[in-house]
Amino acid sequence: MTPPTPVSQFKSLFGEPNIATPLQKPISACSKLGSLFLPRRLSVQFQAPRGDSRMSLKAITVSATTAEKAKKPYPGESKGFVEEMRFVAMKLHTKEQAKEGEKEISQPEERSVVKWEPTTDGYLRFLVDSKLVFDTLEKIVSDAVFPYYAEFRNTGLERSASLAKDLEWFREQGHTIPEPSSPGLTYAQYLKELSVKDPQAFICHFYNIYFAHFAGGRMVGKKVAEKILDKKELEFYKWDGQLSQMLQNVRDKLDKVAEEWTREEKNHCLEETEKSFKLSGEVLRLIIVS
């Protein structure tokens, strides 16, 4: 598949339509009363040619739909594209996970985290696979196949180094650190492929991985620590600096990037949310499924 054109090259030019009826002159600018928008319903009268008794004077109504007509805004659109992504993501939570959730529970990790029964071995597998996913994300933005990926370098949200410290701590406690498993390997490979051929879809995963970890991820870390780690707080759930400001900086960058996208590209990004939830959920499930 041919890689998409970088965002900076996306441009559109719209010409003004020239509407004419068979028996009338083209509608002039003055007949449109100074508006660039055509009315939704346009009433046009046709005069029967002289000498033709079979035709009579009649009026017809033409329904005109134009590309320029006003459209209903997308949920969150007025606040920026990140708000659109947040809205779609929240709808994919279950009611047990979030009050805005609409999804029916189909997997054990979709239940409230307070109902989980985590294991140390499962948690280690989750941390190892999570590190592989974050390693992959950080390398993608570092290499920046598309120039705007570079905007997301050194945001302060990076998690790979913190996870390395946590895994070393487990090793010091006598635990054997496993190799990455299928969920992490699958997700990492998918992100690599997506980042080259489908930048809008990749940005969807980037957003959902980092922002989900900040929100639900911290709750998971806290509850798991209470049950199996004697309430130890891992480095995975700590950030250097003011987290709220770092998150806002990334939101601003995401909104800025999306300003250059067409509505179709934005919709494509939003449509990838379900895939993001599926792959992240398979990694998260490692905590509670043997």
Side-chain angles (χ1 to χ4, degrees):
M1 183 173 179
T2 305
T5 304
V7 170
S8 62
Q9 297 180 23
F10 289 130
K11 298 290 182 184
S12 298
L13 294 175
F14 296 93
E16 184 178 341
N18 183 18
I19 297 180
T21 68
L23 302 177
Q24 290 181 308
K25 295 180 179 180
I27 299 175
S28 64
C30 63
S31 69
K32 288 182 283 185
L33 302 178
S35 172
L36 292 178
F37 296 92
L38 292 175
R40 293 184 62 185
R41 298 181 65 81
L42 175 65
S43 180
V44 183
Q45 287 191 334
F46 291 84
Q47 175 67 51
R50 293 172 181 171
D52 188 346
S53 60
R54 293 175 301 173
M55 295 186 68
S56 61
L57 184 65
K58 62 181 179 177
I60 64 171
T61 301
V62 180
S63 296
T65 303
T66 67
E68 298 91 352
K69 77 174 184 178
K71 295 180 180 179
K72 183 179 180 181
Y74 287 77
E77 185 176 9
S78 62
K79 296 182 180 180
F81 188 63
V82 169
E83 184 63 17
E84 290 189 54
M85 290 196 285
R86 190 200 71 81
F87 181 87
V88 173
M90 293 309 298
K91 295 299 181 184
L92 290 176
H93 286 76
T94 66
K95 285 293 186 183
E96 288 195 8
Q97 293 174 322
K99 64 180 180 180
E100 299 173 64
E102 295 181 354
K103 188 177 185 297
E104 295 294 329
I105 296 173
S106 61
Q107 299 295 340
E109 75 277 3
E110 293 172 345
R111 299 187 67 83
S112 171
V113 66
V114 299
K115 299 179 180 179
W116 291 10
E117 293 299 332
T119 66
T120 302
D121 287 344
Y123 196 41
L124 269 173
R125 290 198 300 274
F126 162 73
L127 294 174
V128 167
D129 280 26
S130 293
K131 184 176 185 302
L132 177 60
V133 170
F134 281 103
D135 283 346
T136 303
L137 284 172
E138 291 171 27
K139 188 174 190 309
I140 288 170
V141 299
S142 177
D143 293 347
V145 173
F146 288 88
Y148 63 78
Y149 287 175
E151 294 293 325
F152 304 103
R153 295 171 181 163
N154 303 316
T155 63
L157 301 183
E158 292 80 12
R159 297 290 85 199
S160 184
S162 297
L163 281 163
K165 293 177 182 178
D166 290 331
L167 292 173
E168 181 59 31
W169 178 83
F170 274 99
R171 185 179 288 107
E172 292 171 355
Q173 307 309 306
H175 295 283
T176 299
I177 308 303
E179 293 297 316
S181 59
S182 179
L185 291 166
T186 299
Y187 202 177
Q189 183 59 35
Y190 183 71
L191 289 171
K192 291 176 186 177
E193 296 171 0
L194 210 60
S195 67
V196 174
K197 67 181 184 181
D198 196 340
Q200 284 78 33
F202 170 74
I203 287 297
C204 176
H205 289 265
F206 178 91
Y207 164 78
N208 279 292
I209 290 171
Y210 279 107
F211 281 72
H213 179 63
F214 154 71
R218 289 196 297 176
M219 177 62 72
V220 168
K222 180 179 179 181
K223 294 300 180 183
V224 170
E226 289 175 356
K227 292 187 175 184
I228 64 174
L229 297 179
D230 196 26
K231 298 185 178 181
K232 175 180 173 58
E233 183 181 13
L234 297 182
E235 296 299 317
F236 192 24
Y237 307 102
K238 299 177 184 178
W239 288 265
D240 294 329
Q242 189 174 357
L243 180 57
S244 60
Q245 186 59 56
M246 291 187 289
L247 289 166
Q248 187 58 51
N249 290 342
V250 174
R251 287 190 190 97
D252 292 342
K253 290 175 184 292
L254 288 167
D255 280 337
K256 187 68 174 177
V257 166
E259 285 178 1
E260 301 298 324
W261 293 350
T262 65
R263 185 65 253 179
E264 290 73 19
E265 289 168 334
K266 290 179 180 179
N267 290 346
H268 178 61
C269 176
L270 298 175
E271 290 163 0
E272 187 72 11
T273 307
E274 190 168 359
K275 181 73 170 183
S276 173
F277 269 54
K278 179 180 181 295
L279 293 172
S280 292
E282 289 172 356
V283 174
L284 188 62
R285 195 179 308 153
L286 293 169
I287 299 175
I288 51 180
V289 176
S290 300

